Amino acid sequence: MGFAGAEDLDGDRIAERLAADPTDLPPAAARSVATTLLADGAFSEPYCEWMPLWYELGLLAPVRYGEWRLRRVAREVAAAAGVTASAPRFSRPRDVVVDGRPALAGVSGFRERFLAAGALLHLEWFVHAAAADGIAVPSDLVKRAREESLSYYAGDRDRLSPEVRRFQRLLFADDAWVARVDAAYGLDSRLFGLWERLLRDERRRLASD
């Protein structure tokens, strides 16, 4: 998207240093890593609330354990560098009204709920992480992306504006991250495979519109 500050942190270099010694990061890198870990940890439980009840109940225990682990590592990274980091507060369905109705009133089916949650929570995740990295995301774009995306995925809007569609296409690129995690830990997870397919298909659909 060409946001100012997006090139200031060397992600590959940070990843190398993190793998070598997570307690030996410079302050800016440590803040970025700790914020990302906290955001990742806080992401899944609100996401589950957007999904069918069977999905939420099935994943609640592992999601909470994963958040505990990520918070612990984030605290260690931040403390070693003498920086502070915070987690975002992600929107839950009870917090959101879409086109004058409760957020999930116009959404049915697993895929539709998955995409509606992804469109909103990926945006909130990115805005929080970008701020910690010094990336300037225009507030008017964030507002438009939130309003349009909610109305498109959970309401009556029939298309996204070109800039918001491009933004969402990039946000839905998490399919690559899901695939890397699945491969790195040798999970061969059917659930991860489903997540990857849904994210990839939506990213490609947004690119072709």
Side-chain angles (χ1 to χ4, degrees):
M1 296 294 291
F3 297 139
E7 304 298 328
D8 291 349
L9 287 176
D10 185 339
D12 291 338
R13 176 60 177 156
I14 291 173
E16 291 174 2
R17 295 188 66 165
L18 181 63
D21 184 357
T23 64
D24 187 32
L25 294 173
R31 184 178 298 106
S32 176
V33 168
T35 299
T36 298
L37 292 173
L38 290 172
D40 284 349
F43 181 87
S44 294
E45 186 167 339
Y47 203 109
C48 285
E49 290 192 21
W50 287 83
M51 304 301 292
L53 184 59
W54 59 264
Y55 182 98
E56 179 182 359
L57 294 178
L59 289 184
L60 190 58
V63 156
R64 287 180 173 174
Y65 175 71
E67 180 176 6
W68 176 77
R69 290 286 301 270
L70 290 170
R71 283 184 175 276
R72 187 178 68 175
V73 176
R75 285 196 299 267
E76 293 174 358
V77 170
V83 299
T84 59
S86 64
R89 182 185 180 277
F90 290 107
S91 295
R92 299 172 188 254
R94 63 178 179 268
D95 305 324
V96 180
V97 174
V98 181
D99 295 342
R101 298 176 296 178
L104 294 177
V107 184
S108 62
F110 182 91
R111 176 182 177 275
E112 289 73 18
R113 288 188 176 219
F114 184 92
L115 295 179
L120 176 60
L121 302 192
H122 284 143
L123 174 65
E124 293 177 344
W125 185 100
F126 177 78
V127 170
H128 186 82
D133 289 347
I135 298 173
V137 184
S139 59
D140 65 317
L141 174 59
V142 174
K143 181 180 179 181
R144 284 191 291 113
R146 180 183 177 90
E147 292 175 352
E148 287 188 25
S149 299
L150 280 170
S151 186
Y152 180 69
Y153 285 101
D156 297 327
R157 190 181 182 93
D158 63 356
R159 66 180 61 242
L160 299 170
S161 63
E163 189 176 25
V164 171
R165 186 175 69 246
R166 181 183 175 219
F167 197 6
Q168 281 294 356
R169 175 173 59 82
L170 294 170
L171 292 172
F172 272 107
D174 265 9
D175 64 294
W177 177 85
V178 171
R180 287 197 302 270
V181 171
D182 194 38
Y185 290 95
L187 301 176
D188 193 23
S189 167
R190 293 179 63 184
L191 184 58
F192 272 55
L194 175 61
W195 293 343
E196 181 187 356
R197 178 173 59 80
L198 290 173
L199 293 166
R200 181 186 64 241
D201 289 352
E202 184 62 12
R203 174 175 54 79
R204 290 176 175 174
R205 191 188 66 80
L206 289 169
S208 65
D209 279 353

